Coordinates of all heavy atoms in Angstrom, one line a residue:
Chain A
V131 N 70.1 89.3 -60.4 CA 71.1 89.3 -61.4 C 72.0 90.5 -61.2 O 71.5 91.6 -61.3 CB 70.5 89.4 -62.8 CG1 71.5 89.4 -63.9 CG2 69.5 88.2 -63.0
S132 N 73.1 90.3 -61.0 CA 73.9 91.5 -60.8 C 75.1 91.5 -61.6 O 75.6 90.5 -62.2 CB 74.3 91.6 -59.4 OG 75.6 91.1 -59.2
S133 N 75.7 92.6 -61.7 CA 76.8 92.8 -62.6 C 78.1 92.2 -62.1 O 79.0 92.2 -62.8 CB 77.0 94.3 -62.9 OG 77.0 95.0 -61.7
C134 N 78.1 91.8 -60.9 CA 79.3 91.3 -60.4 C 79.4 89.8 -60.5 O 80.5 89.2 -60.3 CB 79.5 91.6 -59.0 SG 79.6 93.3 -58.7
H135 N 78.4 89.2 -60.8 CA 78.4 87.7 -60.7 C 79.3 87.0 -61.6 O 79.7 85.9 -61.3 CB 77.0 87.2 -61.0 CG 76.1 87.4 -59.7 ND1 74.9 86.7 -59.6 CD2 76.3 88.0 -58.6 CE1 74.4 87.0 -58.4 NE2 75.3 87.8 -57.8
S136 N 79.7 87.6 -62.6 CA 80.5 86.8 -63.4 C 82.0 86.9 -63.1 O 82.8 86.3 -63.7 CB 80.3 87.2 -64.9 OG 80.9 88.5 -65.0
F137 N 82.3 87.6 -62.1 CA 83.6 87.6 -61.7 C 83.9 86.5 -60.7 O 83.1 86.1 -59.9 CB 83.9 88.9 -60.9 CG 83.8 90.1 -61.9 CD1 83.1 91.2 -61.5 CD2 84.5 90.0 -63.1 CE1 83.0 92.2 -62.4 CE2 84.4 91.1 -63.9 CZ 83.7 92.2 -63.6
T138 N 85.0 86.0 -60.9 CA 85.4 84.9 -60.0 C 85.4 85.4 -58.6 O 85.1 84.8 -57.7 CB 86.9 84.5 -60.3 OG1 86.9 84.2 -61.6 CG2 87.3 83.5 -59.4
Q139 N 85.9 86.6 -58.6 CA 86.2 87.2 -57.3 C 85.1 88.2 -57.0 O 84.7 89.0 -57.8 CB 87.5 87.8 -57.5 CG 88.2 88.2 -56.3 CD 89.5 89.0 -56.7 OE1 89.4 89.8 -57.5 NE2 90.5 88.7 -56.0
E140 N 84.8 88.2 -55.8 CA 83.9 89.3 -55.4 C 84.7 90.6 -55.5 O 85.9 90.6 -55.3 CB 83.4 89.1 -54.0 CG 82.4 87.9 -53.8 CD 82.2 87.7 -52.4 OE1 83.1 87.5 -51.6 OE2 81.0 87.8 -52.0
I141 N 83.9 91.6 -55.6 CA 84.6 92.9 -55.5 C 84.4 93.4 -54.1 O 83.2 93.5 -53.7 CB 84.1 93.8 -56.6 CG1 84.5 93.3 -57.9 CG2 84.6 95.2 -56.3 CD1 84.3 94.2 -59.1
H142 N 85.4 93.6 -53.5 CA 85.3 93.9 -52.1 C 85.4 95.5 -51.9 O 86.4 96.1 -52.3 CB 86.5 93.3 -51.3 CG 86.3 93.4 -49.8 ND1 87.2 92.7 -49.0 CD2 85.5 94.1 -49.1 CE1 86.8 93.0 -47.7 NE2 85.8 93.8 -47.8
V143 N 84.4 96.0 -51.5 CA 84.3 97.4 -51.4 C 84.5 97.9 -49.9 O 83.8 97.4 -49.0 CB 82.9 98.0 -51.9 CG1 82.8 99.5 -51.7 CG2 82.7 97.6 -53.3
L144 N 85.3 98.8 -49.7 CA 85.4 99.4 -48.4 C 84.5 100.7 -48.5 O 84.8 101.6 -49.2 CB 86.9 99.8 -48.1 CG 87.1 100.6 -46.8 CD1 86.6 99.9 -45.6 CD2 88.6 100.9 -46.6
L145 N 83.5 100.6 -47.7 CA 82.5 101.7 -47.8 C 82.6 102.5 -46.5 O 82.6 102.0 -45.4 CB 81.1 101.1 -47.9 CG 79.9 102.0 -47.8 CD1 79.9 103.0 -49.0 CD2 78.6 101.2 -47.8
V146 N 82.8 103.8 -46.7 CA 82.9 104.7 -45.6 C 81.9 105.8 -45.6 O 81.8 106.6 -46.6 CB 84.3 105.3 -45.6 CG1 84.6 106.0 -44.2 CG2 85.4 104.3 -45.9
D147 N 81.2 105.9 -44.6 CA 80.2 107.0 -44.5 C 79.9 107.2 -43.1 O 79.5 106.3 -42.3 CB 79.0 106.7 -45.4 CG 78.2 108.0 -45.6 OD1 78.0 108.8 -44.7 OD2 77.8 108.2 -46.8
H148 N 80.0 108.4 -42.7 CA 79.7 108.7 -41.3 C 78.2 108.6 -40.9 O 77.8 108.2 -39.8 CB 80.2 110.1 -41.0 CG 80.0 110.5 -39.5 ND1 80.6 109.8 -38.5 CD2 79.2 111.4 -38.9 CE1 80.2 110.3 -37.3 NE2 79.4 111.3 -37.6
E149 N 77.4 108.8 -41.9 CA 76.0 108.8 -41.6 C 75.5 107.4 -41.7 O 75.6 106.7 -42.7 CB 75.3 109.6 -42.8 CG 74.0 110.2 -42.4 CD 73.4 110.9 -43.6 OE1 74.1 110.9 -44.6 OE2 72.3 111.4 -43.4
K150 N 75.0 107.0 -40.6 CA 74.7 105.6 -40.5 C 73.7 105.1 -41.5 O 73.8 104.0 -42.1 CB 74.3 105.3 -39.1 CG 74.1 103.8 -38.9 CD 73.9 103.4 -37.4 CE 73.8 101.9 -37.3 NZ 73.5 101.5 -35.9
E151 N 72.7 105.9 -41.6 CA 71.6 105.5 -42.5 C 72.1 105.2 -43.9 O 71.8 104.3 -44.6 CB 70.5 106.5 -42.5 CG 69.2 106.0 -41.9 CD 68.2 107.1 -42.0 OE1 67.8 107.5 -43.1 OE2 67.8 107.6 -40.9
T152 N 72.8 106.2 -44.3 CA 73.4 106.1 -45.7 C 74.3 104.9 -45.8 O 74.2 104.1 -46.8 CB 74.2 107.3 -46.0 OG1 73.5 108.5 -45.6 CG2 74.5 107.4 -47.5
L153 N 75.0 104.7 -44.8 CA 76.0 103.6 -44.8 C 75.3 102.3 -45.0 O 75.6 101.5 -45.8 CB 76.8 103.6 -43.5 CG 77.9 102.6 -43.4 CD1 79.0 103.0 -44.4 CD2 78.5 102.5 -42.0
V154 N 74.2 102.2 -44.2 CA 73.5 100.9 -44.2 C 72.8 100.7 -45.5 O 72.9 99.6 -46.1 CB 72.5 100.9 -43.1 CG1 71.6 99.7 -43.2 CG2 73.2 100.8 -41.7
S155 N 72.2 101.7 -46.0 CA 71.4 101.5 -47.2 C 72.4 101.3 -48.4 O 72.1 100.5 -49.3 CB 70.5 102.7 -47.5 OG 71.2 103.8 -48.1
M156 N 73.5 102.0 -48.4 CA 74.4 101.7 -49.5 C 75.0 100.3 -49.4 O 75.2 99.7 -50.4 CB 75.5 102.8 -49.5 CG 75.0 104.1 -49.9 SD 76.3 105.3 -50.2 CE 76.9 104.6 -51.7
A157 N 75.3 100.0 -48.2 CA 75.9 98.6 -48.0 C 74.9 97.6 -48.5 O 75.3 96.6 -49.2 CB 76.2 98.4 -46.6
R158 N 73.7 97.8 -48.2 CA 72.7 96.8 -48.7 C 72.6 96.8 -50.2 O 72.5 95.7 -50.8 CB 71.3 97.2 -48.1 CG 71.2 96.9 -46.7 CD 69.7 96.6 -46.3 NE 69.6 96.3 -44.9 CZ 68.8 96.9 -44.1 NH1 68.1 98.0 -44.5 NH2 68.8 96.6 -42.8
M159 N 72.6 97.9 -50.7 CA 72.5 98.0 -52.1 C 73.7 97.3 -52.8 O 73.6 96.5 -53.7 CB 72.5 99.4 -52.6 CG 71.2 99.8 -53.3 SD 71.2 101.4 -54.0 CE 71.2 102.5 -52.7
L160 N 74.8 97.6 -52.2 CA 76.0 97.0 -52.8 C 76.0 95.4 -52.7 O 76.4 94.7 -53.6 CB 77.3 97.5 -52.1 CG 77.7 98.9 -52.5 CD1 78.7 99.5 -51.5 CD2 78.2 99.0 -53.9
E161 N 75.6 95.0 -51.5 CA 75.5 93.6 -51.4 C 74.5 93.0 -52.3 O 74.7 91.9 -52.8 CB 75.1 93.3 -49.9 CG 76.3 93.3 -49.0 CD 76.0 93.3 -47.5 OE1 74.8 93.3 -47.2 OE2 76.9 93.2 -46.7
F162 N 73.5 93.7 -52.5 CA 72.5 93.3 -53.4 C 73.1 93.1 -54.8 O 72.7 92.2 -55.5 CB 71.4 94.4 -53.5 CG 70.3 94.1 -54.4 CD1 69.2 93.3 -54.0 CD2 70.3 94.7 -55.7 CE1 68.2 93.1 -54.9 CE2 69.3 94.4 -56.5 CZ 68.2 93.6 -56.1
Y163 N 74.0 93.9 -55.1 CA 74.7 93.7 -56.4 C 75.9 92.8 -56.3 O 76.8 92.9 -57.1 CB 75.0 95.0 -57.0 CG 73.8 95.7 -57.5 CD1 73.4 97.0 -57.0 CD2 73.0 95.1 -58.5 CE1 72.3 97.6 -57.5 CE2 71.9 95.8 -58.9 CZ 71.5 97.0 -58.5 OH 70.4 97.6 -58.9
A164 N 75.9 92.1 -55.2 CA 76.9 91.1 -55.1 C 78.4 91.6 -54.8 O 79.3 90.9 -55.0 CB 77.0 90.1 -56.3
Y165 N 78.4 92.7 -54.4 CA 79.7 93.2 -53.9 C 79.9 92.6 -52.5 O 79.0 92.4 -51.8 CB 79.8 94.7 -53.8 CG 79.7 95.4 -55.1 CD1 78.5 95.8 -55.6 CD2 80.9 95.7 -55.9 CE1 78.4 96.5 -56.9 CE2 80.8 96.4 -57.1 CZ 79.6 96.8 -57.6 OH 79.5 97.4 -58.7
K166 N 81.1 92.5 -52.2 CA 81.4 92.2 -50.8 C 81.7 93.6 -50.1 O 82.4 94.4 -50.7 CB 82.6 91.3 -50.7 CG 83.0 91.0 -49.2 CD 84.2 90.1 -49.2 CE 84.7 89.9 -47.8 NZ 86.0 89.1 -47.8
V167 N 81.1 93.8 -49.0 CA 81.1 95.1 -48.5 C 81.7 95.1 -47.1 O 81.3 94.3 -46.2 CB 79.7 95.8 -48.4 CG1 79.8 97.2 -47.8 CG2 79.1 95.8 -49.8
T168 N 82.6 96.0 -46.8 CA 83.0 96.3 -45.5 C 82.6 97.7 -45.2 O 83.1 98.6 -45.9 CB 84.5 96.1 -45.3 OG1 84.9 94.8 -45.6 CG2 84.9 96.5 -43.9
A169 N 81.7 97.9 -44.3 CA 81.2 99.3 -44.1 C 81.7 99.8 -42.8 O 81.6 99.1 -41.8 CB 79.7 99.2 -44.2
V170 N 82.2 100.9 -42.8 CA 82.7 101.5 -41.6 C 82.2 103.0 -41.5 O 82.0 103.6 -42.5 CB 84.2 101.5 -41.4 CG1 84.7 100.1 -41.4 CG2 84.9 102.3 -42.5

Side-chain angles (χ1 to χ4, degrees):
Chain A
V131 179
S132 97
S133 49
C134 296
H135 278 195
S136 69
F137 294 130
T138 302
Q139 195 185 42
E140 288 174 303
I141 293 192
H142 191 172
V143 177
L144 174 58
L145 176 64
V146 191
D147 197 315
H148 182 61
E149 206 183 358
K150 187 168 182 184
E151 246 179 66
T152 314
L153 187 69
V154 170
S155 80
M156 292 191 68
R158 286 209 177 121
M159 245 188 290
L160 286 167
E161 279 169 353
F162 179 83
Y163 286 121
Y165 294 91
K166 178 178 176 186
V167 181
T168 298
V170 301

